[in-house]
Amino acid sequence: MKLYAPSTIKEIKEKYGFKISKSLGQNFLTDKNIIDKIIDAMELTERDLVIEIGPGLGVLTAEAAPQAGKVLAIEIDKNLIPILKENLKEFDNIEIINQDFVKTNLINLLEQNDIIRGQKREKVKIMGNLPYYITTPIIMKILEDRIPADSITIMMQKEVADRIKAAPGSRTYGALSVAVQYYCTVKDVAKVPREVFYPQPKVDSTVLRLDVRKERPVELTNENVFFACVKSGFGQRRKTLGNSLAGVCGLSKEEAQAALAEAGIDPVRRAETLSLSEFAEIANAVAAKCEKR
Ligand code: SAM
């Protein structure tokens, strides 16, 4: 059965009386080429554990399972669970979990799946065609909670992918770019036009593969201060750094200016011009001042 065919989706809707939920971001993929590109980009092996966010009808799940050790498919919509069980019944290495991914205890799940197919698990690879409204919280949950994932291959709204990939100086460069690029290297996998979904969304998509860095790209004395500086800098984009950094851990404007001078950064610059390493220099100078308070 071609799970991705629009005719199959219509049959499933009728057979199960299933109603597609707009509020859960249900836009199902109907293009086998895109499905193949996503699965190929993951470079799966039999010792990999795949965690899928929002399997929907199981189109990606069914392609990943034959290549992976095991797939944990986490779907929030209870109405999709009997459909997924039926669609994926030929596979014995898929566990369907009816949960909200954002609330799932991933560390517990990983502990329970340390051994797969009788062997020690090698890599943890996260994948998903994400509902647009929770893309950023989902990515940040995985990264900030330090979930020991090796890669995250996900489809998202094109504009969010553009922000993640953005380089300093570009209009789309912001706190999300800095945060994701701090934790990961970012690779483009595919551009996905809106026409390949059922129902058709109002936006185009992009698939990115984020490879979680084994080592941080910059040395930080205090990661929390780094993220506070990034947040503060981009939260007040129009302000110069001398002004926008005042307030981080209660620093005065003068102290913020002094920290910038110590980091060798001109206080009239704005956050969107700073590279990751310049942010790190600033954060370390600010952290030294915060410690003395
Ligand atoms: N993977 C399928 C595909 O590509 O056709 C479905 C993609 S659809 C864009 C997003 C899926 O995520 C839906 O099945 C939706 O019910 C599910 N979903 C939405 N929010 C979720 C959450 N918080 N946790 C887990 N699944 C969620």
Side-chain angles (χ1 to χ4, degrees):
M1 184 171 52
K2 286 181 182 163
L3 277 181
Y4 52 85
S7 57
T8 311
I9 303 176
K10 285 175 197 155
E11 269 168 38
I12 288 174
K13 278 173 62 187
E14 218 157 90
K15 181 173 166 198
Y16 293 88
F18 173 68
K19 290 199 174 55
I20 292 180
S21 162
K22 219 176 166 181
S23 64
L24 290 176
Q26 290 176 350
N27 302 97
F28 301 113
L29 252 176
T30 61
D31 187 317
K32 181 71 164 64
N33 283 329
I34 301 288
I35 295 167
D36 288 346
K37 273 192 185 172
I38 297 173
I39 300 301
D40 289 350
M42 293 178 69
E43 299 178 292
L44 293 171
T45 78
E46 286 199 345
R47 295 185 69 179
D48 288 340
L49 177 68
V50 173
I51 301 181
E52 184 180 11
I53 309 162
L57 303 173
V59 282
L60 290 168
T61 335
E63 297 299 325
Q67 297 181 34
K70 184 170 178 184
V71 184
L72 305 175
I74 305 177
E75 172 56 60
I76 195 171
D77 186 351
K78 69 174 186 338
N79 298 323
L80 281 171
I81 303 305
I83 301 174
L84 278 167
K85 283 189 177 154
E86 175 64 24
N87 289 352
L88 302 170
K89 64 175 185 238
E90 68 186 273
F91 302 101
D92 62 0
N93 63 339
I94 298 175
E95 188 178 334
I96 299 162
I97 303 170
N98 183 202
Q99 265 178 32
D100 178 347
F101 180 82
V102 181
K103 296 190 187 139
T104 301
N105 187 331
L106 292 172
I107 297 293
N108 271 359
L109 267 187
L110 290 177
E111 269 170 23
Q112 289 158 15
N113 288 281
D114 196 33
I115 303 289
I116 46 177
R117 293 195 186 185
Q119 295 198 78
K120 179 104 181 81
R121 175 190 81 214
E122 232 159 46
K123 292 191 171 167
V124 175
K125 297 180 177 172
I126 299 182
M127 73 164 176
N129 166 11
L130 296 188
Y132 301 133
Y133 66 104
I134 46 166
T135 302
T136 306
I138 282 184
I139 295 175
M140 293 319 294
K141 170 190 159 89
I142 298 166
L143 298 176
E144 285 173 352
D145 291 358
R146 298 283 162 89
I147 303 305
D150 294 88
S151 66
I152 309 167
T153 304
I154 38 174
M155 164 125 63
M156 63 193 81
Q157 182 174 345
K158 178 189 171 296
E159 287 72 16
V160 179
D162 289 344
R163 282 167 49 209
I164 288 178
K165 291 185 293 185
S170 74
R171 201 174 40 82
T172 46
Y173 185 64
L176 183 65
S177 332
V178 177
V180 175
Q181 292 172 26
Y182 170 68
Y183 289 113
C184 307
T185 55
V186 182
K187 282 187 206 144
D188 254 315
V189 173
K191 289 192 174 92
V192 189
R194 65 193 74 183
E195 290 78 22
V196 305
F197 296 94
Y198 181 92
Q200 190 176 311
K202 290 197 176 70
V203 293
D204 295 320
S205 294
T206 297
V207 182
L208 293 182
R209 173 170 150 173
L210 312 177
D211 284 310
V212 182
R213 296 180 192 271
K214 302 280 172 264
E215 281 170 24
R216 299 286 172 244
V218 287
E219 289 245 337
L220 296 178
T221 51
N222 185 324
E223 213 171 63
N224 292 334
V225 170
F226 171 75
F227 283 110
C229 291
V230 173
K231 202 170 155 203
S232 206
F234 286 110
Q236 310 171 59
R237 282 179 96 100
R238 283 159 188 268
K239 288 192 179 174
T240 60
L241 287 168
N243 289 319
S244 64
L245 291 180
V248 173
C249 72
L251 291 192
S252 66
K253 194 174 156 187
E254 290 67 35
E255 286 170 309
Q257 304 250 10
L260 286 165
E262 280 159 33
I265 304 287
D266 187 339
V268 301
R269 284 178 64 184
R270 290 184 166 78
E272 64 254 34
T273 69
L274 295 176
S275 66
L276 200 56
S277 46
E278 287 176 317
F279 260 121
E281 297 280 344
I282 295 172
N284 289 343
V286 169
K289 300 229 173 294
C290 295
E291 256 171 39
K292 286 194 198 130
R293 295 180 74 84

